[in-house]
Amino acid sequence: DWCKEKGVIVVHGNAAARETLEQVRAHKAKYVIALTKDDGVNAEVSVHTRNLFKQQKGGALTCLIHISDPMLCNLLKEEEIKSNEMDMFRLEFFSVFETGARIVLREHPPFDESGTVNGELPCMLVVGLGQMGGSLVVEAARKWNRIYTNTGKRLRMILIDKAANPKSELLSIRYPLLKKICDIV
């Protein structure tokens, strides 16, 4: 209702269905952005939009696809680069959680360039290890990696979650360097 009040055209339907994308003329848009919580649905939107776009002549379209699984997101980015398709259809994969974590750490840096806070080694406290919390841990570790390489000092992190131990272990399995450069409690 809010969108309709603002003059936004609202279509109810399955965003991953080719018919819906055709109905709203997604292939004629400048941007198509898929932000559902289901990575599969978002990927389907990109496939159908690309197929519809190939049938038209002229114009350019950028398709921005949210993929919440960071490993899948990176894999899809690599595959898109390898595809070598140089047409007017541009496909970009991103994670709102990774992007959000980078913004939070840029706006509220937990340590300075030397790896300290007021001359002391930092200790990060992350409450909640959902997708955003996990992304914060990984992005902070990425930023810390350069400091660790120069100093050998590990970033201290305290992780609080109802399932902190298994979630922390899963992060360490996905990102093996995490345990090397961080002391995680």
Side-chain angles (χ1 to χ4, degrees):
D1 289 338
W2 181 88
C3 289
K4 286 181 182 177
E5 288 172 13
K6 301 294 181 197
V8 175
I9 298 169
V10 177
V11 175
H12 294 276
N14 178 355
R18 180 185 170 98
E19 298 76 30
T20 305
L21 293 165
E22 202 165 17
Q23 176 190 359
V24 299
R25 298 191 309 253
H27 56 289
K28 295 192 179 282
K30 187 172 184 176
Y31 296 98
V32 170
I33 304 168
L35 289 169
T36 75
K37 62 183 176 180
D38 186 324
D39 290 348
V41 168
N42 294 340
E44 278 186 71
V45 169
S46 72
V47 168
H48 293 313
T49 302
R50 175 178 263 161
N51 289 338
L52 288 168
F53 182 80
K54 283 181 178 180
Q55 295 173 0
Q56 76 162 11
K57 291 194 167 57
L61 171 60
T62 300
C63 198
L64 302 162
I65 304 299
H66 166 62
I67 302 293
S68 53
D69 181 315
M71 303 299 266
L72 178 59
C73 189
N74 288 334
L75 177 67
L76 290 171
K77 285 178 187 177
E78 287 176 21
E79 288 303 312
E80 184 60 21
I81 290 169
K82 285 182 200 174
S83 76
N84 240 358
E85 287 189 32
M86 298 300 286
D87 58 14
M88 298 302 285
F89 183 86
R90 204 166 123 213
L91 181 58
E92 294 184 21
F93 296 98
F94 70 98
S95 165
V96 295
F97 305 109
E98 280 184 20
T99 303
R102 278 195 294 275
I103 291 169
V104 166
L105 292 171
R106 184 182 67 228
E107 298 294 318
H108 307 283
F111 45 84
D112 61 24
E113 290 297 314
S114 68
T116 63
V117 177
N118 299 325
E120 302 281 328
L121 279 176
C123 180
M124 273 186 65
L125 171 66
V126 179
V127 180
L129 288 177
Q131 290 177 304
M132 184 64 188
S135 292
L136 275 170
V137 169
V138 170
E139 288 300 318
R142 283 185 180 139
K143 289 177 86 63
W144 187 261
N145 190 36
R146 190 179 81 255
I147 294 164
Y148 172 79
T149 302
N150 293 336
T151 67
K153 297 192 185 220
R154 297 168 70 177
L155 175 62
R156 293 179 293 160
M157 286 192 191
I158 299 171
L159 309 180
I160 299 177
D161 189 278
K162 287 181 182 179
N165 286 335
K167 288 181 179 182
S168 171
E169 283 302 314
L170 184 59
L171 281 173
S172 295
I173 290 168
R174 282 185 156 179
Y175 304 96
L177 275 177
L178 204 53
K179 279 190 172 178
K180 180 181 178 187
I181 64 173
C182 299
D183 282 324
I184 299 176
V185 177

